[in-house]
């Protein structure tokens, strides 16, 4: 058996006894023998704890005038159904409880003990309640919780044991900052115990999840619990990484200053702290993996088993057919029974907003091209698609000028008739034909002199416009819609070509 360090074991013995002494008034109350009018024993220790909670609540609400009468009213309201007592009895009990927490002598309570750290008899003074105010008119004394009373309230509050690891991490960092390496090593050993306790709790939680999930409510509760645990463990893991880095820097600093040669014991403690901290961090990392596995596998498996259990437990004949056939249910009830097995109602409705929706005019190409109208000035000079469009526009303009010279062509439909006559109907089966005339209508009247002033090569129609020479092209809308092919339609247009002399006249 290794030699025990007695000094480490008894370190802080006085402070531990002080915390135990705070509970002494509650045990004094427990030794009081009080009965109600029906000779039922009164739980004085419980009333003492309730008194502490009452004064704590009053402190939170900033009610500073709290005395015997207020406490008696609280106890009567809380225990009226449990004990048979008169109001004067409640006031007597309230006064006895307050006097236990704060003796009538005005002195603090005292607790004597033998200190095994110093081997001396010592005593501790502490105060649970203190006087807060005094009303001269009604001769009423008011009380409030003292610092020791607040500590006693917090000592009775449930703090989950898994938070103890985070507290130990904070204490370890503090000890390392102060250079208390021996105490830090003991703190790490306590962290080992905390991690082991957490591992046992996780095993129990796993079995509890597999056994207890019988509804969606319990599933959501365990899901939230696991998310909280995983979040806390993640924060603790980050703290472990920072602690390891801090210990590593401390070790390197001691090594650089040759402390490992001068103070061998201190350096050995730092090395041992590094090893033990890595060990407990490894165990904690495994705990993090177990929690993640619980979230991703066990919890999901439990939910799936819940789902399939519900399916297997459902009997179609017994749960659906039998109630419908055997019981003459009204129509409203029938709808409720059959509703879960019916499809969602679907209606095809035409919306007036369709009129205002975007109308895309598209053309099938081997490559992905722009789906809206080609802008007059878009693209670069070397774009193959742009060159192709310019060439098509030039061809359309050339055919139109030939049609004007050979036939009387004054409308777009008559020009399309001309194209059919010469066997060029494929020309108006392409989208570029319709783009051309819409752009021409937008630019009308088209005067060659204005076009020449533009930047060279800027417009897709520059080649087509050069064919006009000194003539002017006027395009206006006319009545009717042209539907030569199913895919495209266009407004009828009047087209007129004027020479320079006609335009001047």
């Amino acid at each position: 058996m290794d030699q025990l360090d007695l000094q480490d074991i008894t370190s802080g013995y006085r402070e531990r006894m002080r915390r135990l002494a705070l509970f002494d008034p509650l045990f004094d109350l427990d030794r009081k023998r009080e009965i109600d009018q029906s000779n039922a024993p009164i739980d004085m220790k419980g009333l003492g704890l309730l008194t502490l909670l009452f004064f704590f609540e009053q402190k939170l609400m900033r009610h500073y005038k709290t005395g015997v009468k207020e406490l008696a009213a609280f106890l009567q309201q809380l225990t009226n159904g449990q004990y048979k007592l008169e109001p004067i009895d409640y006031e007597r009990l309230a006064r006895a409880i307050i006097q236990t927490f704060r003796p009538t002598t005005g002195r603090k309570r005292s607790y004597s003990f033998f200190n095994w750290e110093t081997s001396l008899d010592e005593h501790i003074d502490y105060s649970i309640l203190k006087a807060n105010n005094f009303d001269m008119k009604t001769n009423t004394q008011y009380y409030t919780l003292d610092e020791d009373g607040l500590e006693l309230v917090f000592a009775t509050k449930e703090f989950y044991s898994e938070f103890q690891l985070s507290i130990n991490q904070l204490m370890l960092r503090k000890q390392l900052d102060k250079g208390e390496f021996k105490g830090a090593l003991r703190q790490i050993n306590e962290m080992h115990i905390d991690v082991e306790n957490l591992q046992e709790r996780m095993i129990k939680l796993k079995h509890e999840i597999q056994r207890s999930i019988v509804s969606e409510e319990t599933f959501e509760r365990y899901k939230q619990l696991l998310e909280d645990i995983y979040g806390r463990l993640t924060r603790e893991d980050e703290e472990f990484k920072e602690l390891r880095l801090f210990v590593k820097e401390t070790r390197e600093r001691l090594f650089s200053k040759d402390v490992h040669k001068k103070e061998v014991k201190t350096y050995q403690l730092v090395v041992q702290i590094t090893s033990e901290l890595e060990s407990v961090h490894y165990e904690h990392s495994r705990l993090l993996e177990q929690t993640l596995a619980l979230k991703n596998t066990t919890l999901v498996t439990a939910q799936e088993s819940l789902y399939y259990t519900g399916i297997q437990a459902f009997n179609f004949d017994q749960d659906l057919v039998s109630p419908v056939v055997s019981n003459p249910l009204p129509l409203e009830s029938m709808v409720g029974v059959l509703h879960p097995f019916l499809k969602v109602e679907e209606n095809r409705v035409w919306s007036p907003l369709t009129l205002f929706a975007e109308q895309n005019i598209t053309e099938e190409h081997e490559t992905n091209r722009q789906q809206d109208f080609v802008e007059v000035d878009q693209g670069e000079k070397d774009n193959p698609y742009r060159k192709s469009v310019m060439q098509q526009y030039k061809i359309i303009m050339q055919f139109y000028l030939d049609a004007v010279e050979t036939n009387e062509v004054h409308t777009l439909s008559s020009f399309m008739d001309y194209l059919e006559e010469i066997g060029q109907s494929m020309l108006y089966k392409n989208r570029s034909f319709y783009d051309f005339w819409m752009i021409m209508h937008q630019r009308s009247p088209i005067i060659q002199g204005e076009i020449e002033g533009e930047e060279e090569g800027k417009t897709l129609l520059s080649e087509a416009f050069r064919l006009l020479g000194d003539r002017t092209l006027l395009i206006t809308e006319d009545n009717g819609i042209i539907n030569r092919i199913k895919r495209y339609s266009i407004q009828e247009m009047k087209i007129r070509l004027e020479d320079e002399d006609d335009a001047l006249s």
Side-chain angles (χ1 to χ4, degrees):
M1 181 177 178
D2 296 338
Q3 185 68 28
L4 296 176
D5 192 333
L6 301 180
Q7 187 65 30
D8 282 346
I9 296 176
T10 59
S11 177
Y13 187 81
R14 176 184 173 84
E15 182 62 25
R16 295 179 187 272
M17 289 302 298
R18 191 188 71 82
R19 296 180 184 276
L20 288 176
L22 297 180
F23 289 88
D24 199 43
L26 294 177
F27 292 107
D28 286 347
L29 289 173
D30 192 34
R31 286 190 288 269
K32 293 182 179 294
R33 295 293 179 258
E34 296 285 349
I35 58 175
D36 64 356
Q37 296 176 358
S38 61
N39 293 327
I42 297 176
D43 180 18
M44 292 299 292
K45 183 171 67 174
L47 295 184
L49 180 57
L50 291 173
T51 299
L52 293 175
L53 298 178
F54 171 71
F55 277 105
F56 180 67
E57 187 68 19
Q58 296 298 304
K59 196 175 186 69
L60 290 178
M61 299 173 63
R62 291 177 172 81
H63 292 169
Y64 301 111
K65 293 186 177 182
T66 306
V68 175
K69 291 184 178 180
E70 289 75 16
L71 177 58
F74 164 73
L75 295 177
Q76 182 177 3
Q77 181 182 1
L78 185 64
T79 64
N80 192 26
Q82 185 70 26
Y83 303 125
K84 294 181 179 180
L85 294 171
E86 297 294 333
I88 190 173
D89 296 326
Y90 280 106
E91 187 170 340
R92 178 178 57 82
L93 293 177
R95 195 176 303 276
I97 293 173
I98 290 177
Q99 289 178 358
T100 302
F101 287 128
R102 186 177 186 275
T104 55
T105 59
R107 300 177 61 182
K108 294 183 178 181
R109 288 184 60 92
S110 180
Y111 184 81
S112 299
F113 68 100
F114 182 79
N115 192 338
W116 289 99
E117 183 180 10
T118 61
S119 298
L120 296 174
D121 290 321
E122 298 183 10
H123 70 277
I124 296 172
D125 295 330
Y126 61 95
S127 174
I128 305 297
L129 289 179
K130 65 178 179 179
N132 187 36
N133 203 348
F134 184 76
D135 191 344
M136 298 290 292
K137 296 180 180 180
T138 59
N139 194 27
T140 303
Q141 179 70 58
Y142 299 115
Y143 305 93
T144 187
L145 284 177
D146 206 345
E147 293 182 1
D148 294 324
L150 284 172
E151 187 172 349
L152 177 56
V153 171
F154 288 128
T156 60
K157 181 178 175 61
E158 179 185 9
F159 290 99
Y160 295 107
S161 58
E162 53 263 29
F163 288 104
Q164 189 62 40
L165 182 60
S166 301
I167 297 173
N168 286 335
Q169 286 179 329
L170 296 176
M171 295 179 64
L172 176 61
R173 176 177 287 274
K174 198 70 175 177
Q175 289 172 327
L176 290 174
D177 288 336
K178 292 182 178 181
E180 299 176 357
F181 300 121
K182 199 169 185 180
L185 185 60
R186 182 177 180 83
Q187 201 69 48
I188 294 176
N189 292 333
E190 292 184 6
M191 292 165 67
H192 269 290
I193 299 175
D194 295 333
V195 172
E196 291 175 0
N197 291 336
L198 287 176
Q199 288 175 342
E200 293 178 0
R201 289 173 61 89
M202 292 302 297
I203 295 174
K204 292 179 181 178
L205 182 60
K206 178 180 179 180
H207 295 159
E208 187 177 346
I209 289 175
Q210 295 173 336
R211 181 176 62 251
S212 302
I213 292 186
V214 293
S215 66
E216 285 293 331
E217 290 77 10
T218 55
F219 169 78
E220 291 296 332
R221 187 173 72 251
Y222 281 113
K223 179 181 178 182
Q224 184 62 42
L225 176 62
L226 287 175
E227 289 178 353
D228 294 341
I229 294 175
Y230 186 77
R232 190 189 68 255
L233 291 177
T234 303
R235 292 190 295 270
E236 292 174 351
D237 185 70
E238 294 174 356
E239 181 65 23
F240 268 122
K241 293 177 181 177
E242 293 181 3
L243 286 172
R244 289 181 60 186
L245 181 61
F246 183 80
V247 172
K248 181 181 178 182
E249 292 174 352
T250 302
R251 179 182 177 182
E252 292 175 352
R253 184 174 64 254
L254 294 175
F255 189 83
S256 63
K257 295 181 180 180
D258 293 335
V259 176
H260 64 291
K261 297 179 181 179
K262 301 176 184 178
E263 300 181 13
V264 179
K265 188 174 182 180
T266 301
Y267 187 75
Q268 288 177 349
L269 282 174
V270 174
V271 173
Q272 191 175 358
I273 287 174
T274 304
S275 176
E276 293 295 332
L277 188 60
E278 290 180 355
S279 175
V280 72
H281 186 199
Y282 172 74
E283 294 297 330
H284 187 271
S285 300
R286 291 182 56 192
L287 195 63
L288 197 62
E289 295 175 359
Q290 292 176 13
T291 307
L292 188 61
L294 276 179
K295 285 180 59 180
N296 297 338
T297 57
T298 307
L299 195 63
V300 176
T301 303
Q303 186 186 30
E304 291 177 352
S305 65
L306 176 65
Y307 172 74
Y308 287 111
T309 300
I311 293 178
Q312 295 172 358
F314 177 76
N315 188 303
F316 189 84
D317 292 334
Q318 180 180 351
D319 297 332
L320 184 62
V321 177
S322 178
V324 172
V325 176
S326 61
N327 300 327
L329 298 176
L331 183 60
E332 294 79 5
S333 300
M334 288 289 294
V335 173
V337 173
L338 298 176
H339 186 271
F341 304 94
L342 301 177
K343 288 185 177 180
V344 179
E345 182 179 359
E346 297 180 0
N347 291 322
R348 297 181 63 85
V349 180
W350 177 80
S351 173
L353 295 177
T354 306
L355 296 174
F356 305 102
E358 180 181 359
Q359 303 294 323
N360 292 327
I361 302 175
T362 60
E363 181 179 359
E364 293 182 359
H365 294 283
E366 295 180 359
T367 59
N368 186 16
R369 296 179 179 174
Q370 186 174 341
Q371 299 301 324
D372 52 358
F373 289 118
V374 179
E375 296 292 338
V376 174
D377 57 349
Q378 81 175 38
E380 295 90 5
K381 295 180 181 180
D382 297 332
N383 189 338
Y385 178 65
R386 182 175 184 275
K387 289 182 178 180
S388 174
V389 174
M390 291 178 65
Q391 186 64 27
Q392 291 177 13
Y393 288 170
K394 181 179 179 182
I395 294 173
I396 295 171
M397 178 63 78
Q398 185 63 56
F399 275 112
Y400 171 72
L401 295 177
D402 294 343
V404 171
E405 293 178 359
T406 57
N407 296 313
E408 293 293 329
V409 176
H410 300 294
T411 61
L412 182 59
S413 59
S414 60
F415 175 55
M416 297 173 76
D417 293 337
Y418 170 76
L419 292 176
E420 290 181 357
E421 292 175 2
I422 64 174
Q424 295 294 331
S425 59
M426 289 297 298
L427 198 63
Y428 64 73
K429 293 181 180 180
N430 294 323
R431 172 179 168 172
S432 58
F433 180 85
Y434 301 90
D435 289 345
F436 173 80
W437 288 110
M438 282 188 284
I439 296 173
M440 295 288 284
H441 176 263
Q442 293 173 359
R443 299 289 298 267
S444 179
I446 300 170
I447 302 173
Q448 176 64 15
E450 296 179 359
I451 304 301
E452 291 177 352
E454 298 183 1
E455 182 181 351
E456 181 66 24
K458 180 180 180 181
T459 173
L460 292 171
L461 297 169
S462 57
E463 297 292 333
F465 287 160
R466 288 195 182 96
L467 298 177
L468 289 175
D470 297 332
R471 290 170 290 187
T472 301
L473 190 63
L474 300 174
I475 302 174
T476 57
E477 293 184 7
D478 199 3
N479 297 328
I481 302 294
I482 302 175
N483 291 302
R484 294 297 177 98
I485 59 175
K486 293 182 179 180
R487 188 170 184 180
Y488 303 115
S489 61
I490 192 171
Q491 180 80 31
E492 176 68 285
M493 298 181 184
K494 290 183 179 180
I495 309 174
R496 188 173 53 159
L497 185 66
E498 295 182 351
D499 292 333
E500 185 177 5
D501 296 338
D502 296 335
L504 293 173
S505 62

